[in-house]
Amino acid sequence: MPNPWTGKGNPYTRQEIKDRLQNSIDQNKAIIAAGAGTGISAKFIEKGGADLIIVYNSGRFRMAGHGSTAGLMAYGDANAVAMEIGEFEVLPVVEEIPVICGVHASDPRRRMWHHLLKVKEMGFSGVNNFPTHSIVDGHFRQVLEETQMGFSKEVEMVRLASKMDLFSIVYVAKPEEAKLMAEAGADAIIAHVGTTIGGSIGVVNATCSMEDAIERTNEIIEAGKKVNPNIFFLAHGGPINTPADVQIILDSTDVQGFVGASSLERMAVEESLTNLTREFKSLKLDN
């Protein structure tokens, strides 16, 4: 539904986004959501036919040449960065597809209901729990949970977003997290199996094999479906990097699509700029 003020698509209601995603599935097409850290990325991701664009703070670090994990560190205000990218770069250039805002739900300085009102007012059509503590483990994860700055805050944010008619697409790394997010009303669950491998700033070795990724993804899907069989399930991370990798996951699990951040935005820039520069540099002077 076009925005009555701008004539453009954003913002969409929660149901409108679910209908769009279901339409892709009905056409036997995988759902593709892509992270965009710059306006030009968003513009051409949309041109390529993605179903959703997600704006994370990690996109700024990624497109500045740093690893996406920088988005989990105290290198800036994650919520402010995502809002800034959305307001000044992505939302002004996206013509039609829904744009989702990454929300750092555990930020103790934010009144989350107030922040989500601003997200909605900005023109975002939904939320994503990033930075996410689902991919933090060990002693540090325990400390985060015990000090009320852990994954439980992300679940609370999604529950609140659902009441506000904001679509939610969420990262989880474990079946029990999928259960909690499904109970909170998440519309789409992303099975996160680790940092994306490859490229200049990706990890060298996958945190799990493709076989492990398939097993973990299936476990996450099973846990979520027990709560709500109508949730959309997508894959992300680890060894799932190329279209061929995604096809393996689609064939081996019940996921309905893929979320690509580094594997779409960063890899595209690294490969195309390198090859194009080499092509220019191969030109010879006519002496």
Side-chain angles (χ1 to χ4, degrees), residues 54-59 61 68-83 101-107 109 112 115 127-136 144 149-155 157 169-172 181 192:
I54 308 176
V55 175
Y56 324 90
N57 73 316
S58 62
F61 293 107
S68 298
T69 306
L72 294 172
M73 305 300 288
Y75 300 150
D77 184 335
N79 284 314
V81 169
M83 291 287 278
C101 185
V103 175
H104 192 191
S106 66
D107 185 343
R109 305 165 302 168
M112 194 46 58
H115 181 64
V127 295
N128 167 259
N129 60 328
F130 194 90
T132 176
H133 296 158
S134 68
I135 55 176
V136 178
L144 289 170
M149 289 183 284
F151 186 75
S152 60
K153 288 293 185 180
E154 299 173 34
V155 176
M157 183 273 288
I169 176 169
V170 300
Y171 286 115
V172 305
M181 281 299 194
H192 197 310

Side-chain angles (χ1 to χ4, degrees), residues 130-209:
F130 194 90
T132 176
H133 296 158
S134 68
I135 55 176
V136 178
D137 57 16
H139 176 68
F140 185 47
R141 172 69 178 270
Q142 182 180 343
V143 170
L144 289 170
E145 298 296 342
E146 290 181 1
T147 54
Q148 289 76 54
M149 289 183 284
F151 186 75
S152 60
K153 288 293 185 180
E154 299 173 34
V155 176
E156 290 177 22
M157 183 273 288
V158 169
R159 183 174 287 111
L160 185 56
S162 299
K163 293 179 180 179
M164 298 171 69
D165 196 38
L166 280 164
F167 178 85
S168 57
I169 176 169
V170 300
Y171 286 115
V172 305
K174 302 175 182 177
E176 52 266 37
E177 294 169 349
K179 178 178 182 292
L180 290 171
M181 281 299 194
E183 291 171 344
D187 299 301
I189 288 178
I190 309 162
H192 197 310
V193 296
T195 304
T196 303
I197 64 168
S200 65
I201 51 177
V203 295
V204 176
N205 298 306
T207 52
C208 66
S209 66

